[in-house]
Amino acid sequence: MPILHAYDGTELAYRLLGEGVPLICLPGGPMGAGGYLGDLGGLSARRQLVVLDRRGTGESAVPDDPSTYRRDRLVDDVEALREHLGQERVDLLAHSASAGLAALYAARHPQRLRSLVLIAPGTRAVGTEVTGQDRRGAGELRRDEPRYAAGRGAPEATRPGRDAGEVTSAAEPFTHGRRDARAHAATTSGQTDSGAARVHCRDGAFDPTATAAALRDVTAPVLVLAGEYDGGPTPDRAAELAALFPNAEFAVQRGAAHYPWLDDPGAFVRTVEAFLDPDVLSVQAGGIRLAHRAWGDPSAPPVVLVHGRCGDSRTWTRIAGHLADAHRVYAFDFRGHGLSDWPGRYSFELFRDDLHAFLEARNLAGATVVGHSMGAAAACLLAEREPGLIGRLVLEEPPPPFPLDPPRGPAERPDEELDFDWPVVPSTDAQLNEPDPEWWGRIGSITAPTLVIGGGPAGRIAQRGLARMAERIPRGRFVTIDAGHLVHTGRPDEFPAELRAFGLA
């Protein structure tokens, strides 16, 4: 393992996992070694994880002066690691009790922080105590799960910061959401130095009032991620911590407890990756976190680009470049796609609701909406339901609201890793085979000027059906660009030319 020397000469060990921009990772405990973090659910495929074994833990040396275990003094070890890595500013991730250390680092070195990720964070450093009632309440959320019945009276044993050996087998499930708690507890056994942990929180380690005040001046973006079933902290306590930062994003991972990267690795990685990518933004819309990208002047007329099935916002990058000179352009990932939440339930109506919630969350009433395929169907349904919400409407190769002939048979999931949630496909195939008749019945209620774009003979959609759609829409027009189903990627110059002819500057 690589080694650096701290300010007092103590040798500190760290692990390097993956490649890319470094992400310093601080394990919880308190005073736990970093091994239990693993690769953080596969996050190492996106970033280089720099996992520190704090002094006296794991492969790091025991310091000559035990008082240096105190949390406020460990800030200097984090700064020594930053200097050792040669980074002017760092991205910092902290789990559980180490969130207090990360908060102290942010308060003392705000200019060295590029971003901060706090996972199931301890809140003691800012004066918020997790109570027994919090833990009991979290346990009660799971009262209908048979395997938790035996631990009903033991949630106190799961308090973050306890030595792994102190956590009884009855209480272990309270720290985990969906994975085998006993298996993970075995990996953490012996990784916490109990003696160091006692020094860690000694008198003088905290000044909650001063720390909370200092965090209000931290301008770096902050993500606070809580587990739905975590009792220490509960999502409410974690939200209180997030509120102290002026530029914080708060997220709750469904089905997760204190180790969200184990409970659902995909959900964890998508949330953290979206936050760490400077080109990706996120909003909570209708209870779903929707990742999105934006281009152009925020004060310019808005255009919202919505992707097709199995795609994501990146498919619009080139078109957004054409439009960004005169518009504020947004492209978001629908639920079940890209870096947005994958809740497992999908339908055209739910995608319609995603679009509606996104427009409301970003205050985009009156925007031009350009949708491809599935996204076009969602936009069409929204324009039927909320006639005044969309200013102009562009439907690229939308599935017409007629039963497919012949109907699609059962789809087989590919073997490779997917950038979308597979249940999207069978759910929407079923609706394409038997669409709601009201889709067609309400299409005449669309009041927005509408451009329907077909892909010509090579398109996946019958062009005569698209022409019929345009005829039924009072202010509809149909054009063909001979490009197949992916018109905006197959003809990236002709597509924006048609948008300009439609009235987009």
Side-chain angles (χ1 to χ4, degrees), residues 31-58:
M31 297 310 295
Y36 80 92
L37 294 175
D39 68 351
L40 286 173
L43 188 60
S44 61
R46 276 74 173 178
R47 297 291 293 265
Q48 182 181 63
L49 307 185
V50 183
V51 183
L52 179 67
D53 281 349
R54 284 173 291 177
R55 55 179 56 216
T57 71

Side-chain angles (χ1 to χ4, degrees), residues 148-378:
Y148 293 94
R152 189 182 287 270
E156 288 291 333
T158 68
R159 183 169 68 255
R162 296 290 290 272
D163 187 287
E166 297 181 76
V167 181
T168 66
S169 60
E172 285 164 1
F174 284 99
T175 63
H176 296 75
R178 300 174 184 167
R179 291 294 182 92
D180 185 340
R182 296 170 190 261
H184 182 246
T187 70
T188 63
S189 179
Q191 290 191 21
T192 297
D193 185 324
S194 298
R198 285 189 286 273
V199 178
H200 186 65
C201 298
R202 238 175 224 174
D203 289 346
F206 303 103
D207 185 346
T209 301
T211 300
L215 296 183
R216 293 186 174 93
D217 294 326
V218 174
T219 58
V222 178
L223 170 66
V224 177
L225 175 62
E228 178 185 10
Y229 295 137
D230 197 0
T234 61
D236 286 346
R237 299 295 185 198
E240 292 174 11
L241 175 61
L244 295 177
F245 295 93
N247 190 19
E249 176 183 332
F250 176 64
V252 177
Q253 185 171 315
R254 291 184 179 87
H258 199 61
Y259 302 92
W261 66 92
L262 294 172
D263 295 326
D264 188 339
F268 175 82
V269 170
R270 285 189 295 274
T271 302
V272 177
E273 182 184 357
F275 171 75
L276 291 174
D277 188 333
D279 295 327
V280 177
L281 306 168
S282 291
V283 294
Q284 291 290 333
I288 300 292
R289 184 186 56 82
L290 297 177
H292 61 285
R293 294 168 167 84
W295 300 261
D297 184 347
S299 65
V303 175
V304 179
L305 308 175
V306 286
H307 64 80
R309 190 173 76 172
C310 309
D312 59 48
S313 54
R314 294 172 297 179
T315 187
W316 292 107
T317 301
R318 188 164 177 181
I319 300 302
H322 280 281
L323 298 174
D325 285 345
H327 298 87
R328 176 63 166 178
V329 184
Y330 300 88
F332 73 91
D333 297 346
F334 279 113
R335 68 177 67 205
H337 294 78
L339 297 178
S340 290
D341 285 346
W342 294 14
R345 292 180 57 251
Y346 306 103
S347 68
F348 285 107
E349 290 82 4
L350 289 172
F351 296 132
R352 172 202 64 198
D353 295 344
D354 285 347
L355 175 57
H356 192 178
F358 181 80
L359 294 176
E360 288 193 335
R362 298 311 305 254
N363 194 26
L364 296 175
T368 295
V369 175
V370 181
H372 172 241
S373 192
M374 179 192 80

Side-chain angles (χ1 to χ4, degrees), residues 354-489:
D354 285 347
L355 175 57
H356 192 178
F358 181 80
L359 294 176
E360 288 193 335
R362 298 311 305 254
N363 194 26
L364 296 175
T368 295
V369 175
V370 181
H372 172 241
S373 192
M374 179 192 80
C380 186
L381 290 176
L382 181 58
E384 290 179 355
R385 185 178 184 178
E386 300 287 343
L389 184 61
I390 295 173
R392 288 176 178 268
L393 181 62
V394 179
L395 306 175
E396 174 196 352
E397 282 275 302
F402 320 123
L404 292 180
D405 186 19
R408 289 183 182 173
E412 184 175 342
R413 189 193 189 284
D415 291 334
E416 68 267 18
E417 183 178 354
L418 303 175
D419 291 332
F420 63 93
D421 196 7
W422 175 250
V424 167
V425 173
S427 297
T428 51
D429 274 354
Q431 287 192 285
L432 290 170
N433 287 338
E434 295 185 39
D436 184 343
E438 286 298 309
W439 294 4
W440 180 245
R442 291 194 301 263
I443 201 166
S445 65
I446 296 176
T447 60
T450 301
L451 175 65
V452 180
I453 300 178
R460 190 176 299 170
I461 309 299
Q463 302 298 288
R464 63 181 181 277
L466 298 181
R468 287 180 61 194
M469 287 182 66
E471 290 172 0
R472 288 288 297 271
I473 297 172
R475 301 169 71 185
R477 181 161 67 90
F478 175 61
V479 298
T480 299
I481 301 176
D482 193 3
H485 189 58
L486 298 171
V487 182
H488 69 276
T489 57

Side-chain angles (χ1 to χ4, degrees), residues 120-157:
T123 55
R124 187 177 177 188
V126 296
T128 301
E129 294 288 346
V130 175
T131 68
Q133 183 176 354
D134 289 336
R135 298 189 184 90
R136 287 190 294 273
E140 283 302 301
L141 292 175
R142 314 172 80 173
R143 61 184 177 272
D144 295 329
E145 300 179 34
R147 70 189 181 110
Y148 293 94
R152 189 182 287 270
E156 288 291 333

